[in-house]
Amino acid sequence: MTLKIDIDEGAAPPYEQVRAQISEQARSGALPVGYRLPTVRGLAQSLGLAVNTVAKAYRALEADGVIETRGRNGTYVAAAGQAAERELAAAAQAYADRARRLGLDGKAALAAVRDALRAAYGE
């Protein structure tokens, strides 16, 4: 596993860089399901970051279903694809239900999603 932290002004916070890079490597298969991640303390030391910074990234990754902690046995890459797809489908359904309750038609609801995606992905 290779992570690079950009400390330049304007760069994303270090915990977000760790979260994003591990997430991307897990999604791409560079970190296969079941891969054991370094300990929070070990990764913090190797990256020159505070332990709490890496712990925050690991907590976010676990909340996203990308990694799973098995107590004292360590932290592993989870089968995130299926969990992420289920969570995304649930969020989409909740959005569709809410848009309908607000009285929006399908075109308006879809336009709002497109705008949000453009903003989130910088497109």
Side-chain angles (χ1 to χ4, degrees), residues 19 23-24 26-28 33 60-67 78-93 121:
R19 187 210 60 77
S23 182
E24 175 56 34
R27 189 173 30 260
S28 72
V33 171
L61 287 162
E62 191 161 23
D64 291 345
V66 176
I67 64 173
Q82 294 173 350
E85 288 171 13
R86 283 193 304 271
E87 187 174 338
L88 185 61
Q93 186 62 54
Y121 289 94

Side-chain angles (χ1 to χ4, degrees), residues 19-39:
R19 187 210 60 77
Q21 289 178 48
I22 292 175
S23 182
E24 175 56 34
Q25 290 180 31
R27 189 173 30 260
S28 72
L31 294 177
V33 171
Y35 177 86
R36 186 174 183 178
L37 295 170
T39 64

Side-chain angles (χ1 to χ4, degrees), residues 41-96:
R41 192 174 305 280
L43 185 57
Q45 184 177 10
S46 70
L47 294 174
L49 297 173
V51 172
N52 287 339
T53 300
V54 174
K56 184 175 183 179
Y58 274 27
R59 282 192 303 272
L61 287 162
E62 191 161 23
D64 291 345
V66 176
I67 64 173
E68 59 185 9
T69 301
R70 300 177 188 165
R72 293 185 180 265
N73 292 323
T75 303
Y76 297 83
V77 174
Q82 294 173 350
E85 288 171 13
R86 283 193 304 271
E87 187 174 338
L88 185 61
Q93 186 62 54
Y95 172 77

